[in-house]
Amino acid sequence: MGQYEMFVTDVLVIGAGLAGERAAIESARNGLNVTLLSLVPPRRSHSSAAQGGMQASLGNTAMGKGDSPDVHFMDTVKGSDWGCEQDVARIFADTAPIVMREMAHWGVPWNRVTLEKRVYDGKEIHEDPEKVGLISARNFGGTAKWRTCYTSDGTGHTVLYTMDSIVQKYGITVHDRVEALSLIHDGETCYGAIVRDLRTGQLRVYTAKSTVIATGGYGRLYGASTNAVINEGTGMSIAYDTGVVPLGNMEAVQFHPTGIVPSWILITEGARGDGGYLLDKNGYRFMPDYEPNKKELASRDVVSRRMIQHIRAGYGVDSPYGQHLWLDIRHLGAKHINTNLREIATICRQFNGIDPVHELIPVRPTQHYSMGGIRTNIDGQAYGLKNLWALGEAACWDLHGFNRLGGNSLAETVVAGKIIGEKIAEYTKDVSLKVSTSLVEDHLLIQQKRIEQLRERKGTENVYDLRNRMEHTLNTNVHVFRTEEHLLEAVHELQELNERAKYIKLRGEGKGADPELAFALRLPGMIRLALTIATGALARTESRGSHFREDYPKRDDENWLKRTLAYWREGAKGPELEYEPVKITESPPGDRGYGEATAGAKPLVKQ
Amino acid sequence: MAGRELTFRIMRYNPETPEVKPHLQDFKLFEEPGMTLFVVLNKIREEQDSSLRFDFVCRASICGSCGMLVNGRPTLACRTLTKDLPDVTTLLPLPVFKLLGDLSVDTGTWFREMSIRTESWVHDDSEFDPTKQEERMDNEEALKIYEAERCIECGCCIGGCATANIRPGFIGAAGINRVARFMVDPRDKRTEQEYFEVVGSEDGVFGCIGLMACDDNCPVGVPLRGQIAYVRRKMASAGWKMKVGR
Ligand SMILES: Cc1cc2nc3c(=O)[nH]c(=O)nc-3n(C[C@H](O)[C@H](O)[C@H](O)COP(=O)(O)OP(=O)(O)OC[C@H]3O[C@@H](n4cnc5c(N)ncnc54)[C@H](O)[C@@H]3O)c2cc1C
Ligand code: SF4
Ligand code: SF4
Ligand code: FES
């Protein structure tokens, strides 16, 4: 078996973004021994890149007046196109204001309400003098009220830095530059993980009473994604690889309307929330024609589709990177752009050489968020394996159904971290750790063998070629608009790639912490996720939220008001799909008030 | 139309083979429109040398992972456009930090140790009360905290600092700025004397020799010059009060 390092802990949290750290804090406060693992130093986790803000119905601003958890709940359910778990949405909406205040108590410098004069959409906003100094909010898509709390242009950054400061305060153990490769389990219970040290390439064993997956999203499957390059979905894949833990709604993929062309860096929704317009090649503001009420601020799935629809109608701007549209924030003025939207200005200047105070920004819908993930119950317990938990973007707790509202994801990480963190702490106290050495060594051996095999270099396939094929397939066939023909093509291609991934040949020797080896270990799992997304999308013959089938353009509650559960059984060549009902506790399916159902699927352009 | 041919002279070092001393290796490729060092390094790894080590996470100058010396100057690789570079560019890892291989350095461990040493969290013993409205704060005050909080822990100010290069315990401009972030925060209940314990030494603000390379090198524009002056002033007065008190 050879030498390996072994770590024993009460709670093992894989992932040190907002979700993982918040959950870890709760266990540490309850006197449990906690270890956090991360691919990168915790503060570099993708949560830090969220700039826009997080939703909570504090209702402190004039434009948020009358807001309440009920209104937030309803926006979330509508946004999800009735695909979410309503009991989850309820505790989420009720808890969000509390965690926002808790983060303020811990140190987040939230922007506060001021009496400074502001004009929005031609109207002057008058704040209530009684509310000055309380947590402020900005406008985000798909919401009835202004409720997105923020710190200028760096919400994720400040919330993560504050969260991590509390992790440091509690002295929680953090191991960075490590990657979980598999879960240790016997088909019934999870006992920890096999982990690779990315500094040296050595394997390690972590055993734990509770194992928590908080590894974020999989955006990089698409290549063209707003996500960080480490968002490769490995946390989902290691749960999926057990053969007994299902992934929920993997076909529900969010595309953000404004990825900047061609680096696909996100231009935050704050730009439109603060009053930015979308323009076409004629400089015409087209969104009011499609969405007279919400205009640029309909939910993301709707705006993304309207944009592609408008491009297809011949109004796109040509560029070497394909057609795009323009985002216009010039009218917001230099002062506003250079303070409240500073990060956007910086991105435009640095990556495109554009000054958004005077120039238009080229944008196109880009993969952004994964609503799907490891399916859990309302307490965060994964289906299928005892002592395994999941939360944050890696999980399908199912707050978002088929479309997540902007600002609801950061809020989810912290709310879920608190609620699920409490459950984990409570539960773990009663678990006694009994794990057999042979089980641990079996799982370790599987990973050792994979590595040895790759180092023998007997295969034929280049990892980067396979990855490029996978990205290309998803981007052309499993995007904003979907049809049976294209989805079938994607499924076939990905099935083939899944076979070919068994014969990877490293170009280098793969010694130690070699980056190519690390990627070769990850890629097969990524391809399995991609195939699962395509298979789920092909099976779902309706349109709901971000999943839009041109051949089935209507939502079909009679047949499809249900959640996809995908299993990858041991030795199988593809996913096995099952379905479960969606929990409706308060709001029966209805009309969202925006999108195709309301405004009709035909373009209404009157240029 | 083919772009310029660019040469990248990159420092190579693999801790697996310590007998091979750090050395420079040349890689050549053709420039493309909008090309950044993020694109360049990935292309080299994918097409020329799969063992090349470097760190990127956000590739959008937000996460602070990719600090390195580009033609001698510490900066973020992901936001360095090749159109601003000469035909031959040297890439070296940031000094001061532990070298993990090629261009990859362990800034994470350095910053974690610094944060823990300076106790970089809000010191306040009161329990959070979930039923209460939040404490009010003036928006200007919040913005002031944010100004310091914007540091992305990239290490560029450290790599280019004369003191940090010779004094391993020095917390550097990023460390001094971190202390300033908590000093301006009314929620942190630490006294001047308590801060003095943390930064009132040669490893803290008094180790700084004030040449301000850090201020020029910070890629996100944290006003380091002002922050260092602020902490120095506060600590000089605290030190003086402590002497008098004694
Ligand atoms: C550009 C951008 C902007 C956004 N803006 C907003 C916004 O304004 N508002 C909003 O609500 N949402 C926003 N989102 C979404 C939101 O940021 C994310 O959904 C959220 O931060 C995810 O948090 P998390 O804790 O689940 O995961 P992450 O923050 O992604 O953390 C994942 C952690 O897991 C670790 N990890 C992953 N795999 C492994 C492994 N195999 N082994 C060990 N560790 C592993 C990583 O190192 C990391 O620490 C944005 C997303 C993007 C892409
Ligand atoms: S001013 Fe001080 S901290 Fe900044 S580079 Fe010079 S010595 Fe270092
Ligand atoms: S102060 Fe600036 S240069 Fe220094 S670590 Fe922070 S962001 Fe980087
Ligand atoms: S990769 Fe994040 S700052 Fe460069």
Side-chain angles (χ1 to χ4, degrees):
Chain A
M1 179 72 5
Q3 290 284 315
Y4 58 88
E5 269 187 292
M6 169 112 175
F7 300 86
V8 180
T9 182
D10 291 330
V11 180
L12 177 67
V13 184
I14 307 173
L18 277 175
E21 289 211 324
R22 183 63 187 83
I25 289 168
E26 211 52 48
S27 284
R29 278 172 151 185
N30 280 278
L32 293 163
N33 188 332
V34 192
T35 304
L36 271 165
L37 305 183
S38 174
L39 296 169
V40 295
R43 293 181 180 199
R44 311 218 192 282
S45 298
H46 191 55
S47 291
S48 71
Q51 299 174 334
M54 53 206 281
Q55 288 202 39
S57 58
L58 293 166
N60 292 329
T61 60
M63 299 294 278
K65 209 169 164 194
D67 201 6
S68 69
D70 289 344
V71 186
H72 189 184
F73 167 84
M74 212 44 238
D75 282 344
T76 303
V77 173
K78 263 190 212 166
S80 80
D81 222 350
W82 281 270
C84 73
E85 290 285 270
Q86 293 189 5
D87 53 353
V88 169
R90 174 47 69 182
I91 53 166
F92 164 74
D94 288 350
T95 313
I98 298 170
V99 304
M100 235 45 70
R101 294 180 176 131
E102 185 175 54
M103 290 314 302
H105 183 77
W106 283 347
V108 172
W110 295 116
N111 279 46
R112 302 295 177 134
V113 176
T114 67
L115 292 177
E116 202 181 316
K117 243 204 185 124
R118 277 196 65 191
V119 176
Y120 181 80
D121 217 7
K123 283 184 294 241
E124 205 171 302
I125 301 171
H126 298 282
E127 296 295 348
D128 179 355
E130 299 264 294
K131 303 279 188 185
V132 169
L134 297 178
I135 298 172
S136 187
R138 59 162 52 134
N139 198 8
F140 250 38
T143 66
K145 303 280 175 190
W146 289 24
R147 79 165 73 83
T148 306
C149 309
Y150 65 103
T151 52
S152 301
D153 55 11
T155 311
H157 172 90
T158 59
V159 178
L160 184 60
Y161 272 50
T162 299
M163 194 71 87
D164 191 52
S165 79
I166 304 298
V167 165
Q168 293 180 359
K169 178 178 164 185
Y170 280 101
I172 295 172
T173 305
V174 176
H175 293 173
D176 70 355
R177 290 185 185 261
V178 297
E179 174 168 358
L181 294 183
S182 72
L183 295 177
I184 302 166
H185 71 98
D186 55 14
E188 279 175 19
T189 308
C190 180
Y191 300 98
I194 306 295
V195 173
R196 185 159 175 267
D197 179 344
L198 298 175
R199 286 185 178 82
T200 63
Q202 295 295 313
L203 291 181
R204 300 179 181 177
V205 170
Y206 289 78
T207 59
K209 295 175 179 171
S210 283
T211 304
V212 185
I213 299 184
T215 48
Y218 58 61
R220 283 286 146 181
L221 299 182
Y222 276 81
S225 165
T226 61
N227 286 197
V229 297
I230 59 167
N231 285 22
E232 301 184 309
T234 48
M236 293 183 201
S237 296
I238 62 176
Y240 200 31
D241 281 350
T242 62
V244 291
V245 177
L247 301 181
N249 280 349
M250 290 297 279
E251 64 270 33
V253 183
Q254 181 168 82
F255 298 87
H256 197 288
T258 55
I260 197 166
V261 181
S263 61
W264 315 116
I265 295 171
L266 178 80
I267 300 299
T268 147
E269 191 152 323
R272 281 169 297 130
D274 288 7
Y277 302 146
L278 289 168
L279 307 181
D280 64 18
K281 68 172 183 189
N282 302 321
Y284 177 75
R285 184 181 176 200
F286 57 91
M287 277 308 293
D289 292 346
Y290 295 100
E291 297 294 333
N293 296 327
K294 290 260 155 197
K295 306 182 181 88
E296 278 82 359
L297 285 169
S299 68
R300 286 177 181 173
D301 55 326
V302 173
V303 179
S304 290
R305 278 199 297 278
R306 296 308 199 186
M307 290 170 71
I308 300 280
Q309 190 179 349
H310 201 63
I311 289 175
R312 284 182 174 182
Y315 298 104
V317 184
D318 287 319
S319 87
Y321 308 97
Q323 294 201 319
H324 63 78
L325 294 159
W326 298 115
L327 175 66
D328 184 6
I329 57 173
R330 295 171 301 182
H331 53 286
L332 302 181
K335 178 164 184 255
H336 188 89
I337 293 173
N338 291 328
T339 52
N340 287 22
L341 301 172
R342 173 163 54 188
E343 225 46 59
I344 295 180
T346 310
I347 287 165
C348 292
R349 288 183 190 127
Q350 278 170 3
F351 295 89
N352 286 53
I354 291 170
D355 182 358
V357 176
H358 306 292
E359 290 168 274
L360 300 174
I361 310 166
V363 292
R364 191 164 70 207
T366 305
Q367 193 289 340
H368 182 56
Y369 185 81
S370 33
M371 274 76 74
I374 300 165
R375 178 72 184 123
T376 72
N377 66 15
I378 192 169
D379 293 338
Q381 290 174 306
Y383 283 23
L385 271 186
K386 273 193 292 216
N387 302 358
L388 179 66
W389 309 73
L391 73 160
E393 193 171 339
C396 180
W397 190 27
D398 214 354
L399 172 64
H400 310 298
F402 276 76
N403 175 60
R404 161 185 79 99
L405 293 186
N408 255 0
S409 164
L410 281 187
E412 177 193 15
T413 61
V414 184
V415 170
K418 176 180 157 61
I419 294 175
I420 295 174
E422 283 164 7
K423 298 284 176 194
I424 295 169
E426 194 183 299
Y427 176 94
T428 308
K429 282 182 185 160
D430 298 328
V431 177
S432 59
L433 187 65
K434 287 188 289 292
V435 49
S436 88
T437 317
S438 67
L439 183 74
V440 169
E441 299 202 333
D442 285 350
H443 282 273
L444 184 66
L445 200 63
I446 294 172
Q447 298 308 319
Q448 276 175 347
K449 281 217 173 112
R450 287 180 71 204
I451 293 170
E452 275 162 29
Q453 212 177 13
L454 284 165
R455 285 189 180 145
E456 283 168 13
R457 302 170 68 205
K458 293 217 180 98
T460 48
E461 303 285 350
N462 176 304
V463 262
Y464 300 115
D465 290 346
L466 295 182
R467 181 208 58 194
N468 293 347
R469 293 284 298 271
M470 170 185 74
E471 290 176 355
H472 180 77
T473 301
L474 288 178
N475 271 314
T476 32
N477 297 319
V478 201
H479 214 257
V480 171
F481 286 108
R482 303 170 175 187
T483 61
E484 180 174 289
E485 187 197 337
H486 285 104
L487 290 168
L488 267 173
E489 207 176 302
V491 167
H492 291 147
E493 167 99 32
L494 291 163
Q495 279 168 342
E496 187 198 313
L497 292 178
N498 183 45
E499 276 306 301
R500 288 170 60 186
K502 293 179 185 142
Y503 308 98
I504 289 172
K505 176 173 180 164
L506 298 184
R507 301 174 74 209
E509 290 174 56
K511 286 222 178 93
D514 182 64
E516 187 192 18
L517 174 71
F519 191 62
L521 289 168
R522 238 169 260 154
L523 185 70
M526 294 168 71
I527 294 173
R528 285 195 286 273
L529 294 184
L531 179 53
T532 307
I533 295 168
T535 308
L538 177 63
R540 187 172 283 272
T541 50
E542 67 153 353
S543 291
R544 185 180 297 273
S546 66
H547 170 72
F548 194 87
R549 287 284 301 259
E550 288 184 274
D551 38 2
Y552 299 91
K554 289 261 175 301
R555 196 175 77 200
D556 176 0
D557 290 327
E558 205 167 306
N559 297 301
W560 287 104
L561 188 57
K562 56 190 184 188
R563 181 173 303 108
T564 310
L565 296 179
Y567 291 86
W568 196 290
R569 306 283 183 202
E570 210 183 318
K573 287 191 182 315
E576 187 181 303
L577 302 184
E578 289 179 9
Y579 295 91
E580 67 172 4
V582 170
K583 192 170 281 164
I584 309 267
T585 51
E586 300 179 43
S587 160
D591 177 13
R592 297 166 97 188
Y594 48 78
E596 291 76 357
T598 302
K602 286 267 172 310
L604 302 168
V605 185
K606 11 178 198 281
Q607 287 185 295
Chain B
M1 191 193 69
R4 275 194 299 167
E5 190 184 47
L6 302 174
T7 302
F8 292 93
R9 197 152 283 168
I10 299 177
M11 196 194 92
R12 303 304 308 269
Y13 173 72
N14 184 349
E16 288 283 300
T17 51
E19 65 283 2
V20 184
K21 293 274 167 282
H23 60 281
L24 293 172
Q25 184 179 355
D26 280 5
F27 295 95
K28 289 183 194 304
L29 45 73
F30 287 101
E31 188 169 28
E32 292 165 9
M35 199 176 219
T36 60
L37 286 182
F38 167 71
V39 177
V40 168
L41 289 169
N42 277 292
K43 254 181 125 59
I44 294 175
R45 182 194 277 172
E46 291 178 18
E47 293 165 12
Q48 303 187 35
D49 187 332
S50 61
S51 69
L52 185 64
R53 289 170 69 177
F54 48 78
D55 296 313
F56 290 101
V57 178
C58 72
R59 60 79 177 89
S61 69
I62 295 172
C63 74
S65 299
C66 64
M68 59 181 70
L69 295 180
V70 180
N71 290 327
R73 185 165 185 247
T75 190
L76 298 177
C78 69
R79 62 151 214 193
T80 302
L81 290 159
T82 54
K83 76 171 173 51
D84 300 330
L85 296 175
D87 294 347
V88 180
T89 294
T90 310
L91 301 178
L92 304 177
L94 280 183
V96 180
F97 303 100
K98 184 172 178 217
L99 181 58
L100 296 174
D102 302 334
L103 299 171
S104 172
V105 292
D106 203 343
T107 45
T109 300
W110 191 97
F111 274 95
R112 207 154 191 87
E113 280 168 4
M114 180 276 281
S115 298
I116 290 170
R117 199 140 63 89
T118 53
E119 301 191 8
S120 291
W121 50 83
V122 166
H123 287 55
D124 172 10
D125 294 333
S126 72
E127 269 296 309
F128 169 68
D129 180 349
T131 62
K132 265 188 24 204
Q133 192 179 56
E134 65 271 24
E135 294 267 337
R136 283 172 205 263
M137 182 184 271
D138 185 59
N139 195 48
E140 288 303 316
E141 203 155 48
L143 292 177
K144 220 159 108 192
I145 298 167
Y146 179 60
E147 201 54 33
E149 181 109 320
R150 286 175 57 243
C151 166
I152 57 173
E153 302 195 345
C154 67
C156 289
C157 61
I158 309 296
C161 167
T163 308
N165 271 283
I166 52 169
R167 210 186 160 91
F170 182 51
I171 62 171
I176 297 166
N177 173 65
R178 177 59 52 74
V179 174
R181 181 252 171 267
F182 289 95
M183 276 181 176
V184 299
D185 193 330
R187 293 167 294 195
D188 197 311
K189 304 291 185 266
R190 274 179 282 185
T191 61
E192 267 184 14
Q193 274 67 30
E194 284 171 286
Y195 280 119
F196 192 86
E197 304 280 313
V198 174
V199 279
S201 70
E202 294 284 304
D203 275 345
V205 73
F206 299 130
C208 165
I209 54 170
L211 292 177
M212 293 305 158
C214 52
D215 194 273
D216 295 338
N217 285 335
C218 178
V220 295
V222 175
L224 293 172
R225 181 189 297 266
Q227 300 289 48
I228 293 171
Y230 168 74
V231 174
R232 188 191 286 277
R233 244 185 354 260
K234 278 233 167 199
M235 290 302 95
S237 100
W240 185 77
K241 280 186 215 147
M242 278 159 78
K243 267 201 207 113
V244 173
R246 222 181 270 151

